[in-house]
Amino acid sequence: MAVSLHADEMSSPLSEEVFWGDMPVVMSATRMPQLAVDAPVAVTVIDRRMIEASGAREIPELFRLVPGFIVGYHDGHSASVSYHMSDERYARRMQVLVDGRSVYTTAIGDTPWSTLDVTLDDIERIEVVRGPNSASYGANSFLGVINIITRSALLDRGVSSIKVNAGTQGVREIFVRHGGGSGKLDYRVSAGFSEDDGFAKRYDDKRTNTFSVRADYALSSIDALTFSGGVGMGPRQVENRYVPDLSVDREKHELNHNQSIKWERTLGLGESLSVQLYHIYNHNVESFHTGAFRLAPGLVIDPVSPANEVDFGRRTDRYDLALQHNVSLFDNLRVAWGGGLRDDKVWGGRNLMGDVTINNYLKYGFMNVEWDVKSPWLFNAGLMVEDYSTTGTAVSPRLGANYSFSPMQSVRLTGSKAVRTPSMFEYATDYGIYGAATNLYSGNTLIGPGPALDLLFWGGTRQTRVEKITSFELGYHLATRADSAFFDAKIYRDDLSELIFKVDNPGTFSLGHNSLYLNCCHIVIKGVELETKLVVAERNSLYLGYAYTHMRDADTGKTLLMAPKHSASLLYMVDFDKEYSAGVGYYFTDKIQGWESADAEAVRSVVHRLDLKISRKFVMMSDEIEVALVIRNALGKYEEMEVLRPKASFAELNEIGPSAYVSVKVQLD
């Protein structure tokens, strides 16, 4: 059952026609092109048509389609995309890749969604591995992997376009793309400007400028060189949502840039060798002065702090060198193996990590094997070994067996173990506002100097270990040829141990913080996930996703609401003719506990969301023009994921109301 693809298809991003032709193929499960029916884990594919029909403005919105995924916004510019768990806003347990390059930052463990230099029009497809995949992509592939695959520059040769979006909530966007080439060189340049007003009644506007370039050069008939690079930057408003005067409304600036060069050689049918070197840099500049505030209001003598300078800045600087060799040892045995070196240099500001720099060095090696031992059985085995300078050596194995009833129908049973290394914020944070002098007042009368202000909120002990997960998945996959339909069902049990949470300082450490990040918790998640895509009529397609999730504390047996019990998605796509098309997206999410909330009452209500898009294409003076109207959240207001603070003190939460925008795209001849 080995996949038979041409060599050039194995070494470059494959087109939608290749993937959704007679034999659907995925790349992200084992680092090898595989039939979806042979993959050892569930993989959701978001293709170009789904992206366009969804009406999404930003990449994170697309993941509302994926079964079991939770998408929310802490504010208008801070998206969170997680699988199963909503325990913290930065979604540290997800690996996010762009063309195989990790964009996960190790400072606070987030993905810089708002400054990624990838536009929606640059994306060919997105593969989402729903389940642990550390055996293929390493420690932070703890709950799943998102692999964003951009279009080859060859596909955009001779294509130039301008796209303008404008609508309610201050949406103002313009994107310019140009593809060209000469001889063996193809390139694409993209630039964009995006601005919006965030949530109503919130201080969370954002402006983003992006620029990216990709160049593909054929060195020879068997050698290819790909260069990509880009930058995303802009200011964001940050609202005070803590103690008045201790934190103030302010503006921060985000900068994210990357460079990557990859050499690939096709050694034969089914065999290739690649070497990739990439660099990513992420810098958040956030410093401000607090207001003067009383430490003990109401007493006869009050210590009052004057304005205090605070620096919450952070910086991640990463270099990664990786080698991968794909080879078919026999007709029924394929292997993808390799390894690499990584250096993460992380700095945190005085009030975030004590103005220190930490280097986290990584050495890693992996191997994935697909063995068609004897039809109808096929086995997948994988192993990743990593050695971190901060947490030591970790091993992540996976073993799966697929039984095929036919070439397009199979049952899979897979067991895997995976780990997650702590972010540097969890490992060594020194978060607080400290070192300020105070003055003693009696009413408005200054008496004299007061005690030193020493507010240390939470800290990292530098003894934090890796989180662990043991996962079992029983799945069924059915597909038909020519992309007319597919169906995937998954039953799973995930056992998560030594999870890192912020807990009250137990007093066993000398740090003077109120809370510490410690390995403390054990959670079991069980569930069922279903997804299907089918052609219901000519030029009419339907995608459906559903997830049932049950989470409990393994120590107390208590049911947890860090994931919605039920969630569902629907996307109906129709092309009326060559001119008109439409998309209807419906999303249901059961009640769920908010980010970082220990309050069982802080639960968001059930959400029903409806998005609509209709577009028309026509030709004017030899230029192709597309005009679209997108109506978002047509069913009315609902509360976003920001529910961790009491409404009595912070009434203006993230409430999403109906909105709309118009998009005009001109493809120049």
Side-chain angles (χ1 to χ4, degrees):
M1 230 181 250
V3 180
S4 180
L5 295 174
H6 295 296
D8 60 340
E9 293 172 348
M10 294 187 63
S11 60
S12 61
L14 304 185
S15 68
E16 187 175 328
E17 289 73 22
V18 172
F19 276 98
W20 290 106
D22 287 345
M23 305 291 278
V25 174
V26 294
M27 293 283 292
S28 303
T30 62
R31 290 180 175 253
M32 294 181 285
Q34 279 186 306
L35 302 181
V37 74
D38 291 338
V41 290
V43 183
T44 295
V45 177
I46 303 174
D47 59 31
R48 275 301 318 160
R49 192 182 186 197
M50 294 172 69
I51 294 171
E52 293 171 354
S54 70
R57 281 184 51 235
E58 299 177 332
I59 296 174
E61 299 175 30
L62 296 170
F63 302 109
R64 292 191 177 107
L65 290 163
V66 183
F69 266 61
I70 303 166
V71 178
Y73 283 79
H74 171 59
D75 49 42
H77 49 77
S78 301
S80 176
V81 178
S82 63
Y83 184 49
H84 291 157
M85 299 185 69
S86 68
D87 62 293
E88 53 84 34
R89 74 190 81 163
Y90 296 114
R92 299 182 175 110
R93 299 179 176 94
M94 288 292 303
Q95 179 67 275
V96 180
L97 310 169
V98 175
D99 294 328
R101 166 179 55 86
S102 174
V103 295
Y104 171 94
T105 67
T106 54
I108 60 174
D110 68 333
T111 299
W113 291 110
S114 67
T115 53
L116 283 184
D117 58 292
V118 180
T119 69
L120 288 171
D121 287 341
D122 290 335
I123 300 172
E124 180 67 22
R125 57 194 269 112
I126 302 174
E127 294 185 359
V128 183
V129 178
R130 303 187 338 261
N133 201 18
S134 292
S136 294
Y137 292 105
N140 292 99
S141 311
F142 188 72
L143 292 177
V145 174
I146 295 170
N147 191 7
I148 301 169
I149 301 170
T150 64
R151 294 169 58 84
S152 168
L154 175 63
L155 299 177
D156 290 324
R157 178 184 275 205
V159 176
S160 298
S161 66
I162 300 175
K163 181 178 180 180
V164 177
N165 297 333
T168 59
Q169 297 178 336
V171 171
R172 299 168 290 273
E173 298 178 316
I174 182 168
F175 303 98
V176 180
R177 303 172 75 245
H178 171 69
S182 177
K184 298 180 178 181
L185 174 67
D186 296 283
Y187 66 88
R188 177 182 65 245
V189 178
S190 301
F193 169 79
S194 178
E195 183 177 34
D196 63 60
D197 296 339
F199 289 102
K201 302 179 182 180
R202 292 286 309 276
Y203 188 77
D204 61 350
D205 296 7
K206 74 171 183 287
R207 297 194 307 275
T208 304
N209 295 286
T210 59
F211 175 82
S212 65
V213 60
R214 171 168 173 160
D216 297 300
Y217 184 73
L219 293 169
S220 68
S221 60
I222 61 172
D223 293 288
L225 194 65
T226 299
F227 170 80
S228 63
V231 60
M233 69 177 107
R236 282 92 173 85
Q237 292 179 344
V238 180
E239 183 180 73
N240 167 39
R241 308 209 74 202
Y242 298 90
V243 179
D245 296 322
L246 182 61
S247 177
V248 297
D249 290 351
R250 55 193 181 272
E251 187 174 86
K252 70 176 182 179
H253 192 279
E254 294 186 8
L255 170 65
N256 183 41
H257 66 77
N258 68 88
Q259 305 83 36
S260 171
I261 186 167
K262 185 176 183 179
W263 166 75
E264 297 175 276
R265 165 167 285 191
T266 302
L267 299 172
L269 185 61
E271 184 175 8
S272 63
L273 178 68
S274 67
V275 178
Q276 182 177 31
L277 173 65
Y278 74 83
H279 167 244
I280 63 172
Y281 179 86
N282 181 265
H283 192 188
N284 282 254
V285 179
E286 184 178 355
S287 61
F288 60 96
H289 284 82
T290 67
F293 59 94
R294 295 180 180 271
L295 301 182
L299 299 180
V300 176
I301 297 179
D302 295 340
V304 178
S305 171
N308 183 36
E309 184 179 2
V310 175
D311 185 2
F312 285 151
R314 63 183 185 270
R315 185 169 59 241
T316 296
D317 202 8
R318 171 184 297 164
Y319 290 89
D320 188 289
L321 176 65
L323 176 146
Q324 180 173 328
H325 182 205
N326 285 27
V327 59
S328 296
L329 298 178
F330 304 101
D331 289 341
N332 64 344
L333 182 65
R334 297 193 303 146
V335 177
W337 70 275
L341 302 170
R342 177 182 296 175
D343 177 19
D344 274 320
K345 182 180 295 183
V346 176
W347 168 84
R350 183 174 67 92
N351 302 90
L352 188 71
M353 290 174 56
D355 193 18
V356 300
T357 299
I358 300 176
N359 280 71
N360 193 13
Y361 300 103
L362 167 65
K363 297 173 287 187
Y364 63 94
F366 65 87
M367 178 177 288
N368 281 277
V369 178
E370 182 196 77
W371 183 23
D372 190 354
V373 57
K374 186 178 181 182
S375 186
W377 288 98
L378 181 131
F379 292 95
N380 284 278
L383 182 70
M384 173 73 75
V385 180
E386 299 172 286
D387 182 62
Y388 286 88
S389 60
T390 54
T391 56
T393 302
V395 179
S396 300
R398 178 175 61 200
L399 180 62
N402 291 47
Y403 181 89
S404 298
F405 301 102
S406 70
M408 300 302 289
Q409 182 180 195
S410 72
V411 173
R412 64 182 180 271
L413 177 62
T414 300
S416 63
K417 289 181 178 289
V419 300
R420 182 183 79 89
T421 58
S423 69
M424 292 301 97
F425 187 74
E426 294 168 305
Y427 184 74
T429 185
D430 193 17
Y431 184 85
I433 298 176
Y434 51 87
T438 65
N439 293 314
L440 290 179
Y441 282 81
S442 178
N444 294 322
T445 303
L446 174 64
I447 297 176
L453 175 63
D454 187 26
L455 295 179
L456 296 177
F457 299 136
W458 52 83
T461 65
R462 301 203 182 198
Q463 299 179 31
T464 319
R465 304 179 304 278
V466 297
E467 296 182 335
K468 299 178 181 179
I469 182 173
T470 300
S471 176
F472 294 96
E473 173 181 333
L474 176 63
Y476 170 77
H477 190 92
L478 171 67
T480 59
R481 296 182 182 275
D483 190 24
S484 59
F486 85 86
F487 173 77
D488 191 272
K490 166 185 172 179
I491 302 173
Y492 67 92
R493 183 185 191 276
D494 292 343
D495 192 307
L496 294 73
S497 61
E498 300 189 47
L499 296 178
I500 301 170
F501 282 90
K502 187 174 61 183
V503 300
D504 292 340
N505 192 338
T508 56
F509 295 90
S510 60
L511 298 174
H513 301 84
N514 296 330
S515 302
L516 298 177
Y517 280 102
L518 299 174
N519 299 86
C520 64
C521 302
H522 185 185
I523 291 175
V524 174
I525 309 174
K526 299 179 182 179
V528 177
E529 294 176 357
L530 311 172
E531 68 170 347
T532 185
K533 181 181 177 184
L534 63 154
V535 177
V536 295
E538 186 178 2
R539 299 191 298 272
N540 287 247
S541 297
L542 177 67
Y543 173 86
L544 291 168
Y546 168 78
Y548 167 81
T549 309
H550 181 268
M551 183 184 301
R552 64 177 175 86
D553 187 316
D555 297 322
T556 66
K558 180 182 178 181
T559 297
L560 305 175
L561 280 178
M562 288 190 293
K565 188 174 182 180
H566 301 280
S567 59
S569 60
L570 175 153
L571 181 61
Y572 188 78
M573 300 161 280
V574 56
D575 296 325
F576 298 104
D577 51 37
K578 292 183 178 180
E579 292 186 357
Y580 289 94
S581 62
V584 179
Y586 169 76
Y587 311 96
F588 168 81
T589 308
D590 213 339
K591 59 184 180 180
I592 182 174
Q593 195 170 353
W595 288 316
E596 301 172 9
S597 176
D599 182 2
E601 302 302 319
V603 175
R604 184 184 70 168
S605 301
V606 170
V607 170
H608 300 270
R609 177 183 174 116
L610 180 67
D611 295 344
L612 307 168
K613 177 182 179 180
I614 185 167
S615 63
R616 184 194 176 194
K617 293 180 179 179
F618 57 93
V619 176
M620 179 181 293
M621 298 178 62
S622 74
D623 295 329
E624 184 178 287
I625 301 174
E626 179 180 9
V627 179
L629 171 65
V630 180
I631 301 174
R632 297 151 60 84
N633 193 27
L635 299 179
K637 294 181 180 180
Y638 69 86
E639 189 177 297
E640 251 293 4
M641 285 291 295
E642 180 61 46
V643 294
L644 68 160
R645 298 182 179 93
K647 292 184 180 181
S649 302
F650 301 94
E652 305 299 344
L653 299 178
N654 291 358
E655 193 172 60
I656 296 181
S659 62
Y661 73 91
V662 174
S663 178
V664 179
K665 181 178 179 180
V666 180
Q667 186 166 301
L668 305 175
D669 185 13

